[in-house]
Amino acid sequence: QVQLVESGGGLVQAGGSLRLSCAASGRTFSAYTMGWFRRAPEKEREFVININGNGGSTTYADSVKGRFTISRDNAKNTVYLQMNSLKPEDTAVYYCAASRLFVSNPKAFGSWGQGTQVTVSS
């Protein structure tokens, strides 16, 4: 397993942008699919986006297609979530997670960060 620490959350107006970072410990970062999930108040946790170990494949939730981008720097053990054209409904705690499988099911992700709050005002 890896230890994950998110950063970059905050308050932004609708239409604005934020970039989240997730720093991972360990020497095998490139072996993991990295995913971002979010949990809005009174809602279930949902998949947002993921990226495979070499960065060549990504999948997106329909709600963020065209607005959110994921990337990774394996030399820095870091994954990024670039969020553009933010909407109030994007308000949530965002979590990064690591999995040995290229999937979007949160049950397959064994390592999780502590989460970072993103609030989008209208």
Side-chain angles (χ1 to χ4, degrees):
Q1 292 194 349
V2 294
Q3 284 71 53
L4 304 172
V5 178
E6 302 98 333
S7 60
L11 173 64
V12 64
Q13 289 188 333
S17 298
L18 277 177
R19 190 176 82 155
L20 306 184
S21 299
C22 175
S25 66
R27 296 177 294 176
T28 59
F29 179 67
S30 62
Y32 291 90
T33 285
M34 298 301 297
W36 287 93
F37 296 80
R38 66 186 181 187
R39 177 171 283 165
E42 301 182 355
K43 291 189 176 181
E44 296 292 320
R45 178 178 54 187
E46 65 172 348
F47 168 77
V48 177
I49 197 167
N50 68 359
I51 187 168
N52 73 339
N54 65 17
S57 296
T58 59
T59 57
Y60 300 75
D62 288 342
S63 58
V64 305
K65 280 183 179 178
R67 301 188 299 122
F68 289 13
T69 303
I70 190 170
S71 61
R72 67 190 296 160
D73 186 338
N74 286 343
K76 295 182 178 180
N77 280 15
T78 303
V79 63
Y80 306 96
L81 177 62
Q82 178 67 44
M83 304 184 292
N84 299 328
S85 302
L86 282 160
K87 304 175 182 180
E89 51 263 43
D90 294 318
T91 295
V93 177
Y94 283 72
Y95 300 88
C96 73
S99 174
R100 288 288 191 175
L101 304 175
F102 184 52
V103 295
S104 59
N105 188 332
K107 294 181 179 180
F109 287 76
S111 299
W112 292 81
Q114 81 288 352
T116 185
Q117 177 71 46
V118 171
T119 303
V120 184
S121 63
S122 57

